[in-house]
Amino acid sequence: MNPQAYIVGAYEHPTRKAPDSSVAQLHAEAAKGALEDAGLRLEDVDGYLCAGDAPGLGPLNMIDYIGIKPRYIDSTDTGGSSYLVHVAHAAQAIAAGHCNIALITLAGRPRSEGSSGLVPRNWGENLPDAPFETPFTSVTVNSYAMAAMRHRYEFGTTLEQMAWVKVAASHHAQHNPQAMLRNVVTVQEVMDSPMISDPLRRLDCCVVSDGGGALLVTRAEVARSLKRPLVKVIGAGEAVKGPEGGYFDLTFSAGRWSGQRAFEQAGVKASDIQYASIYDSFTITVIMQLEDLGFCAKGDGGRFVADGNLIAGVGKLPVNTDGGGLCNNHPANRGGITKVIEAVRQLRGEAHPAVQVANCRLALAHGTGGTLSGRHAGATLIMERE
């Protein structure tokens, strides 16, 4: 089923630390912001989607708290890629006649709660595969460091090349007043930052922030009745990659499959994309996903990102022009929704003038949920300005 729905509302919560707010409150504030952005009312919403960041039983609790009466709900949780999956599922629900206006919300308080990627992951006792990993006390950062180390071994990816991903993010973040880290950094400063998990330095890692965001997805008739630029979802793909009992190639991600499916559905190719929002939990995440999505050959990601190639107005492919998870924000330990929000800004021509892609008509957003060296999901969206 071709999704062909429209994103009419996009809102990024401005907070980066909310010690006195509840997660539910942040969800509701994000919902309000998206509705105001679209010019819609709360009573217009008849579909609602959220993931595991929502309190309690997700939709069951949040629907009453926000004050909506949806006839379609979805609580799919694939970590940081959940919100791209939600856009695709909302589009499919709209195409099937299950709803007309779907609200998607994300919120979290990991910064206020002292969360970090340095705590051993506890997947629970009832999962079939995770207990085999638990004795090794895997943490988020060393899971990504394993993928980075393997990529370096297989393809000769250098620390300098990885650092360029952070440098590009910092060049964009300097223009974002809400970004947590606004100082432009150099390759050498990234490489000189403290080692966290070899080969990842502190500046190779994303920020930890509170906050959230929301999106509104509608059918064409609703979108065309609003006084907003038309941003159409023309392609979507999702995929899961697991450890496969140990027969596992660390050099590629699920984006290899989700991207291919999205491009096929959209009828475009990577070289057509003018702007890309790529999940950037760590610098290596961007390098691998650029390869898997077809922007460069496998193993060439390091060379592709080097020398400012991701910087708007300088390089070939502007990436994460809001500063991304590396500099701007990473709410609820899940940054996928922010990838869609910045892509919508670019397509509307509403990004900061210093990073706005001229006449941006085709954009891609890609999210990763889980860890690259273990089980994870990839979700890809392709959007166009109609």
Side-chain angles (χ1 to χ4, degrees):
M1 181 185 296
N2 195 322
Q4 294 200 355
Y6 293 76
I7 300 175
V8 300
Y11 179 78
E12 179 184 356
H13 202 292
T15 189
R16 299 295 179 265
K17 190 172 185 180
D20 300 320
S21 299
S22 69
V23 172
Q25 181 181 346
L26 295 175
H27 271 273
E29 290 170 356
K32 180 175 182 290
L35 286 164
E36 291 175 348
D37 178 65
L40 290 168
R41 303 167 301 170
L42 200 62
E43 52 265 37
D44 295 326
V45 175
D46 61 352
Y48 179 64
L49 304 90
C50 64
D53 55 275
L57 294 176
L60 273 67
N61 297 92
M62 289 307 306
I63 284 168
D64 190 54
Y65 184 86
I66 294 176
I68 53 179
K69 298 184 183 298
R71 54 195 180 99
Y72 173 82
I73 59 173
D74 188 328
S75 59
T76 299
D77 190 0
T78 58
S81 58
S82 301
Y83 320 97
L84 293 94
V85 171
H86 287 168
V87 171
H89 287 190
Q92 292 162 6
I94 289 168
H98 297 314
C99 64
N100 295 307
I101 301 172
L103 169 67
I104 303 166
T105 65
L106 154 79
R109 301 174 62 254
R111 185 179 179 191
S112 292
E113 294 168 0
S115 176
S116 75
L118 302 176
V119 179
R121 301 188 74 123
N122 181 7
W123 298 101
E125 298 179 355
N126 296 321
L127 300 183
D129 49 356
F132 292 95
E133 302 169 10
T134 301
F136 300 99
T137 61
S138 171
V139 302
T140 299
V141 65
N142 67 28
S143 295
Y144 280 80
M146 288 172 61
M149 190 65 81
R150 189 67 191 182
H151 202 276
R152 294 191 69 206
Y153 174 81
E154 291 283 350
F155 307 118
T157 307
T158 67
L159 298 177
E160 291 90 345
Q161 291 168 343
M162 291 168 55
W164 269 109
V165 179
K166 176 72 170 193
V167 171
S170 72
H171 274 267
H172 297 147
Q174 68 176 317
H175 304 295
N176 182 352
Q178 296 173 356
M180 283 186 66
L181 305 178
R182 296 189 64 193
N183 292 334
V184 175
V185 299
T186 66
V187 167
Q188 194 60 49
E189 286 173 327
V190 178
M191 294 173 60
D192 288 343
S193 63
M195 178 73 74
I196 303 299
S197 182
D198 194 15
L200 299 177
R201 272 69 176 168
R202 183 171 64 193
L203 294 184
D204 285 300
C205 307
C206 68
V207 299
V208 177
S209 72
D210 298 347
L215 297 164
L216 282 161
V217 184
T218 73
R219 65 172 57 257
E221 296 84 352
V222 175
R224 294 191 177 113
S225 72
L226 304 172
K227 297 178 181 179
R228 304 298 286 133
L230 294 174
V231 175
K232 185 178 182 180
V233 180
I234 61 171
E238 56 194 73
V240 174
K241 184 184 178 192
E244 299 176 359
Y247 294 94
F248 194 64
D249 185 344
L250 293 179
T251 64
F252 75 93
S253 73
R256 172 180 290 185
W257 305 309
S258 67
Q260 180 182 12
R261 292 162 188 167
F263 280 118
E264 288 176 352
Q265 189 175 68
V268 301
K269 52 188 183 298
S271 59
D272 297 322
I273 300 296
Q274 296 167 280
Y275 167 77
S277 284
I278 306 292
Y279 201 95
D280 56 343
S281 47
F282 300 90
T283 53
I284 188 61
T285 318
V286 175
I287 290 173
M288 287 179 57
Q289 288 170 116
L290 286 169
E291 296 171 346
D292 295 336
L293 292 167
F295 290 104
C296 60
K298 176 54 65 178
D300 286 345
R303 289 179 287 277
F304 184 85
V305 304
D307 301 321
N309 200 39
L310 306 185
I311 301 175
V314 176
K316 180 180 179 181
L317 180 68
V319 169
N320 298 342
T321 47
D322 60 343
L326 289 170
C327 292
N328 177 26
N329 73 336
H330 191 244
N333 293 330
R334 304 154 180 260
I337 202 167
T338 63
K339 304 307 164 200
V340 184
I341 292 170
E342 183 65 4
V344 170
R345 290 191 192 114
Q346 282 285 353
L347 290 167
R348 288 176 170 179
E350 295 173 352
H352 191 281
V355 299
Q356 176 66 52
V357 176
N359 194 32
C360 187
R361 294 288 174 179
L362 200 61
L364 174 146
H366 178 78
T368 300
T371 63
L372 289 182
S373 64
R375 64 200 60 74
H376 67 271
T380 311
L381 295 176
I382 298 174
M383 297 154 279
E384 72 173 359
R385 166 82 176 258
E386 187 177 272

